[in-house]
Amino acid sequence: MEKLIYVIEDDESIRELISMALTSFSYQVVSFDNAEEALKVIDGQMPDLALFDIMLPGMSGLEATKRLRQHPKAKDLPIILLTAKDTEIDKVAGLDSGADDYITKPFGVMELGARVRSIFRRLPTNEKESAGTEIVTADFTINTETREVIKNGEQISLTFKEYELLRILIKERNRIVPRNELLNEVWGFDFLGESRTLDIHIRTLRQKLGDNADAPKYIKTVRNVGYRFIGESS
């Protein structure tokens, strides 16, 4: 069955280009020129993915994302933000609002397809993981079926990318995970021109975990190499 994607973009030419590209990748696409109309439709029919432009007339893509994250049915809806801005603060704001990923305009059709496929992609589990649904450390319990992350008895709300990063780092906690491996595992391809993407996601993940980059308790940066989970096993 075709995946259903909602595209919310006020620029008609860009909206049509995205819709045609996604249709060519065998996705079903419904497009909107404003967030208010899209939210009304989402309340009745949940898509498999939503792409929101940040700068929309009326309600912005950031505000729409925040509202969806508060909606019981849409709190886990994969969301990609489209932005013409190329500053780190805008990207962090997008991730903080609850988006799973962002794409900076202008972007290529192949990059768009790769980003969307990476959202739908689910990493295969190894035999140890498939024997149960939980990955456990001293402070964390990860349910690999529901994607729930519990820290010291309290649930933490993570975006899809943040969850995948934490899951991989905890699963591979006995080694340093190289940057390119994390990019390939989580995003499915190397980011040309987006070398800060991983760092920004790690930063927002650390904030939600209550970690400190200068004195890390959970995620250690190994400069020019990658990252390592250093939390103790239970």
Side-chain angles (χ1 to χ4, degrees), residues 9 15 26 34 58 102 124 144 155 165 208 212-213 225:
E9 164 64 65
R15 187 171 66 248
S26 299
N34 66 85
Y102 60 84
T144 58
Q155 185 170 340
L165 284 170
K208 293 181 180 180
N212 187 326
V225 180

Side-chain angles (χ1 to χ4, degrees), residues 3-74:
K3 297 285 189 182
L4 174 61
I5 300 177
Y6 287 173
V7 176
I8 303 90
E9 164 64 65
D10 62 314
D11 187 305
E12 183 177 0
S13 60
I14 296 177
R15 187 171 66 248
E16 290 183 355
L17 175 63
I18 294 173
S19 298
M20 291 176 59
L22 293 176
T23 300
S24 72
F25 293 134
S26 299
Y27 297 119
Q28 182 182 354
V29 180
V30 177
S31 61
F32 307 87
D33 60 10
N34 66 85
E36 290 86 351
E37 182 182 355
L39 292 185
K40 290 179 182 178
V41 176
I42 287 175
D43 193 50
Q45 183 180 16
M46 191 67 57
D48 296 293
L49 171 69
L51 284 85
F52 280 93
D53 183 29
I54 286 184
M55 301 298 292
L56 291 169
M59 185 188 303
S60 70
L62 291 176
E63 179 60 29
T65 299
K66 291 178 181 178
R67 293 195 183 190
L68 287 172
R69 288 299 176 241
Q70 297 171 355
H71 193 296
K73 294 182 179 179

Side-chain angles (χ1 to χ4, degrees), residues 124-135 144 167 171:
T125 58
N126 58 32
E127 293 181 1
K128 184 176 181 180
E129 279 190 55
S130 62
T133 60
E134 291 187 344
I135 303 174
T144 58
R167 184 187 68 80
K171 186 184 72 171

